[in-house]
Amino acid sequence: MKDLVHIFELEDLLQEANNALIRQAKADGKRVLGYTCYFMPEVLLDLPGCVSCRLRAPRSTSPDMATYYMTNRTCMYGRCLLERALEGGFNFLDAEMATETCTVTCRFQEHLQLMDIIQNPDFFCEFTDVPFKKNDNSIDHFETQLKAHVLDKLKEHFGIDTSDEALLKAIKEHNEICRLITEIGSYRKLDEPTITGTEFSIIQLATLVCPKYLIIDKLRDIAEQLKTRKPDDKKTYRCKVVLAGSEEDDPNFIKLIEECGALVVADRHCYGSLPGREEIVVREGETPLRAIARHYLETSQCPRFMDQHIMRERKQHLADIVKEYKADGIIISQMKFCEYWSYERTIDTLIFPRDFGIPVCSIEKEYVNNAVGQLRTRFQAFVESIELKHIQNAQKGVTA
């Protein structure tokens, strides 16, 4: 297929946290607000005068300094973030809007809060508590937390307009990004998708780490090109898979999967679009902040929600994605030492083949991927097992 417009430019922007567009936003007088988790509503961090930046540590190596503070028995994602901060890689941040969710990223953010790491005199780190349930009381609590620890702090430190009018404007701009990403992602549902998982990963990640007002025109160009983009004359993949799991911000990992013959058609992981790019609906009689609090709690598919009915809904949701995107299986990837996703991956590895008949490839990996050869072998074997299943079903006259 012909190269997507802007794709190499967007890929280049992912090579460092303080990318060219972040630097441009800083020059425009914007406040750059970092965050690590879906539970920190990025729409609140994109209020007029601010830009959100979901933190990554691209091109990381061994996080030796961070390991001294956090031990090597913790998730490497959190350690690599701290390592990058200690190196000075996050000095562009004006604030870190933390959430009490993932344990290791909490530890990383506590170091930012308690140590003089970020060399920016205006920098502060503020924690927001996130409920473990999805009910009206939880929404009440989350709304109160977001007001006290996000809106009030932004107004106090930077004089940001946090009125309902400003929130509605931010929601409108956020929804436009969501519409474009949803449109771009819809081409993955085709019988012959006209966008690869690697390409989509680059685009989606760019919307998380770049100022949205500086990339929205690029998204519009990509969406327009995809209307006429044709698939390759000969298929370049042998099966389709959904990538699910914990934090995944490296397009090269998805590229590795696709080099093994499995086209990644859906991204149900922490940095993906499912969930992540659903439009926020403000219901009649509802304040914008209430709508935001409700939206992020209700749409989240995080395994920290442990009610039995929520867990079952999560399995059904992922099975529905497999069907909707015409996938042949699921690759479930978990960052080593990730507490929540270690349980989820173990359960999913059993449940999906048994209850839904969906093949699963279960992977535990590090943030710095030094096991390419082993992963390649696993993915190639998984692709071959799916092909064998198709052959056996054809012989039995079963349609997959």
XYZ file of all heavy atoms in Angstrom, residues 52 106 127 144 180 198 206 210 237 265 299 320 338:
96
model
N -2.023 18.191 27.027
C -1.751 16.940 27.735
C -0.610 16.196 27.054
O -0.418 16.290 25.840
C -3.004 16.066 27.754
O -3.386 15.714 26.432
N 2.454 5.010 40.490
C 2.283 5.842 41.694
C 3.632 6.092 42.354
O 3.931 7.221 42.759
C 1.344 5.163 42.685
S -0.397 5.394 42.343
N -1.957 14.298 43.106
C -2.582 12.981 42.994
C -4.106 13.074 43.060
O -4.660 13.823 43.860
C -2.097 12.065 44.122
C -0.799 11.384 43.824
C 0.407 12.028 44.087
C -0.768 10.118 43.272
C 1.607 11.401 43.815
C 0.432 9.487 42.994
C 1.630 10.139 43.267
N -15.652 14.858 42.499
C -15.104 15.700 43.566
C -13.580 15.725 43.520
O -12.946 16.775 43.688
C -15.576 15.193 44.941
O -17.009 15.208 44.988
C -15.033 16.047 46.064
N -12.060 11.400 14.498
C -11.067 11.132 13.462
C -10.353 9.803 13.699
O -10.174 9.011 12.769
C -10.051 12.279 13.409
C -10.572 13.581 12.788
C -9.636 14.739 13.091
C -10.760 13.427 11.287
N 0.619 -1.322 12.852
C 1.764 -0.458 13.149
C 1.438 0.995 12.814
O 1.718 1.906 13.606
C 2.996 -0.916 12.358
O 3.252 -2.298 12.634
C 4.212 -0.091 12.730
N 0.521 9.264 18.724
C 0.784 10.685 18.480
C -0.302 11.562 19.093
O -0.018 12.656 19.587
C 0.899 10.941 16.984
N 1.257 14.382 21.675
C 1.455 15.635 20.948
C 0.283 16.579 21.199
O -0.846 16.123 21.423
C 1.564 15.390 19.435
S 2.992 14.407 18.953
N -0.343 -10.727 5.159
C -0.513 -11.301 6.494
C -1.210 -12.649 6.371
O -1.832 -12.967 5.353
C -1.324 -10.365 7.390
C -2.699 -10.053 6.849
C -3.802 -10.830 7.182
C -2.900 -8.980 5.983
C -5.056 -10.555 6.672
C -4.155 -8.694 5.471
C -5.218 -9.481 5.818
O -6.471 -9.214 5.297
N -5.398 -5.810 14.276
C -6.550 -5.041 13.792
C -7.282 -4.288 14.900
O -8.194 -3.507 14.616
C -7.548 -5.955 13.044
C -6.925 -6.471 11.742
C -8.018 -7.113 13.925
N -16.394 3.868 30.689
C -15.771 3.300 29.484
C -14.525 2.476 29.799
O -14.092 1.678 28.969
C -15.384 4.407 28.484
O -14.469 5.324 29.123
C -16.610 5.160 28.008
N -16.353 -9.446 21.837
C -17.098 -8.666 20.842
C -16.158 -7.921 19.902
O -16.440 -7.790 18.703
C -18.034 -7.673 21.531
C -19.193 -8.347 22.256
O -19.468 -9.521 21.957
O -19.799 -7.701 23.126
N 3.449 -6.433 36.486
C 2.210 -5.656 36.519
C 1.178 -6.462 37.295
O 0.740 -7.528 36.858
C 1.711 -5.372 35.110
S 0.127 -4.494 35.069
